[in-house]
Amino acid sequence: MDRSLNVACIQMRSGVDIGLNVETVSAMIRQAAEDGAELVATPEMTTLLDIRPGQTREKAVQEQGDPALKALQAVAADCKIWLLVGSIAVTLEDEDRLANRSILISPDGTTFARYDKMHMFDVDVDDGQNYRESRAYCPGETAVVAHAPIASLGLTVCYDLRFPQLYRALAQAGAEILTCPSAFTRVTGRAHWHTLVRARAIETGSYVLAPAQGGDHEDGRETYGHSLIVSPWGEVLAEAQGEEPGIISAKLDLSAVAAARSRIPSLGLENSFSVTGFTLAQVEKGC
């Protein structure tokens, strides 16, 4: 049985104007769909990238009432595609901090799965900036595999990429495609981005979709770009050249997942250590 899937990743340079970000990404999603994409993925912080203290908190709302998310759900329904909104910032009940939430939308415009980024980027980077994501964001506790009709997707976000035990758990739970929407800094991206994305694909025998933010942002952040689509054998199938906004695409042969895992059957081996710190949810019929 043919199990092919046309996918696209959107590379953005999101700013501090939510309306403008939504307008920009909506046009790019529609273009990707017109070009044949059945699954489109956008970067981390698609609708707002603003690391200035308090600014994102001031503009964030709960997921159910987010007009930006509703607009993107309407685009998915209109284009009849699966849409991974890489992440948005949402408020939480009984919690002062936000969630950095990745949302998978089905072709009918409803939310099929959601995942809150678990690993917080608390790092001093050699770019003149200090990042303390845990001050503003509450880490998620649940890993998510979304068993959609098109494929089984393991959802992650950005800094999660440095924690291979998460990706192994997602692959062992049936994920064929691992998504990693990101906003890697220019410094860490130059040093590690390609190696980490390819390593997660090779280790798990999975496709990896890694749509990214790129360029100099209004809030002063500098991101690396170079969005990637990588095969289960670690081959780069598509890459955005540099930091400019754009669309990359590829046709995935999902049978390649089983083939790669049979050639290197490391997922079948029992872990020599216990993976702790999160539970795992498998979404089969939508939220």
Side-chain angles (χ1 to χ4, degrees):
M1 182 178 67
D2 179 29
R3 292 197 65 218
S4 61
L5 180 66
N6 293 315
V7 302
C9 290
I10 306 294
Q11 182 157 297
M12 296 183 67
R13 189 174 297 152
S14 295
V16 300
D17 185 327
I18 294 175
L20 181 58
N21 294 331
V22 171
E23 180 182 347
T24 299
V25 74
S26 295
M28 298 174 80
I29 293 167
R30 290 183 185 279
Q31 183 60 60
E34 287 178 11
D35 292 340
E38 302 162 271
L39 167 65
V40 179
T42 68
E44 182 182 26
M45 291 300 163
T46 290
T47 60
L48 176 66
L49 202 157
D50 194 345
I51 60 173
R52 296 174 300 173
Q55 293 300 306
T56 299
R57 175 73 196 188
E58 184 176 309
K59 298 174 182 177
V61 297
Q62 289 191 0
E63 177 189 330
Q64 292 79 2
D66 190 336
L69 177 60
K70 291 183 184 300
L72 295 177
Q73 289 174 322
V75 172
D78 189 42
C79 295
K80 296 180 174 56
I81 59 167
W82 289 86
L83 175 62
L84 179 82
V85 179
S87 81
I88 59 174
V90 299
T91 59
L92 300 169
E93 292 185 8
D94 304 321
E95 172 64 57
D96 290 335
R97 293 177 295 173
L98 307 169
N100 187 343
R101 182 166 294 172
S102 187
I103 298 175
L104 180 64
I105 302 169
S106 68
D108 64 4
T110 60
T111 294
F112 187 87
R114 59 178 61 85
Y115 162 76
D116 290 352
K117 182 178 179 180
M118 289 197 289
H119 299 99
M120 298 292 98
F121 190 59
D122 291 350
V123 179
D124 296 324
V125 179
D126 188 20
D127 63 357
Q129 295 183 5
N130 300 318
Y131 300 88
R132 293 292 180 270
E133 197 171 44
S134 63
R135 291 176 181 171
Y137 293 91
C138 181
E141 298 179 347
T142 303
V144 175
V145 177
H147 296 286
I150 52 168
S152 293
L153 284 70
L155 309 185
T156 73
V157 177
C158 201
Y159 193 49
D160 287 334
L161 190 62
R162 295 184 181 273
F163 298 84
Q165 66 273 25
L166 170 60
Y167 292 79
R168 180 179 178 85
L170 293 171
Q172 288 179 324
E176 302 165 292
I177 299 172
L178 303 171
T179 60
C180 189
S182 297
F184 256 56
T185 70
R186 188 174 286 152
V187 171
T188 58
R190 285 172 177 166
H192 301 146
W193 173 249
H194 290 81
T195 300
L196 288 170
V197 175
R198 293 186 64 215
R200 297 298 86 87
I202 293 166
E203 291 166 348
T204 63
S206 305
Y207 284 102
V208 177
L209 306 185
Q213 296 280 356
D216 298 326
H217 300 263
E218 292 176 278
D219 63 349
R221 187 162 183 171
E222 301 172 350
T223 55
Y224 182 62
H226 291 270
S227 298
L228 293 170
I229 300 173
V230 179
S231 80
W233 203 243
E235 302 158 308
V236 175
L237 302 179
E239 176 177 357
Q241 297 305 308
E243 300 175 350
E244 291 303 309
I247 304 168
I248 61 172
S249 60
K251 184 174 183 177
L252 310 187
D253 175 6
L254 295 175
S255 66
V257 174
R261 292 175 182 178
S262 66
R263 293 171 74 182
I264 308 291
S266 60
L267 289 179
L269 299 177
E270 292 296 324
N271 286 328
S272 58
F273 57 90
S274 176
V275 177
T276 60
F278 61 84
T279 57
L280 193 146
Q282 303 206 45
V283 180
E284 297 185 3
K285 295 183 180 179
C287 296

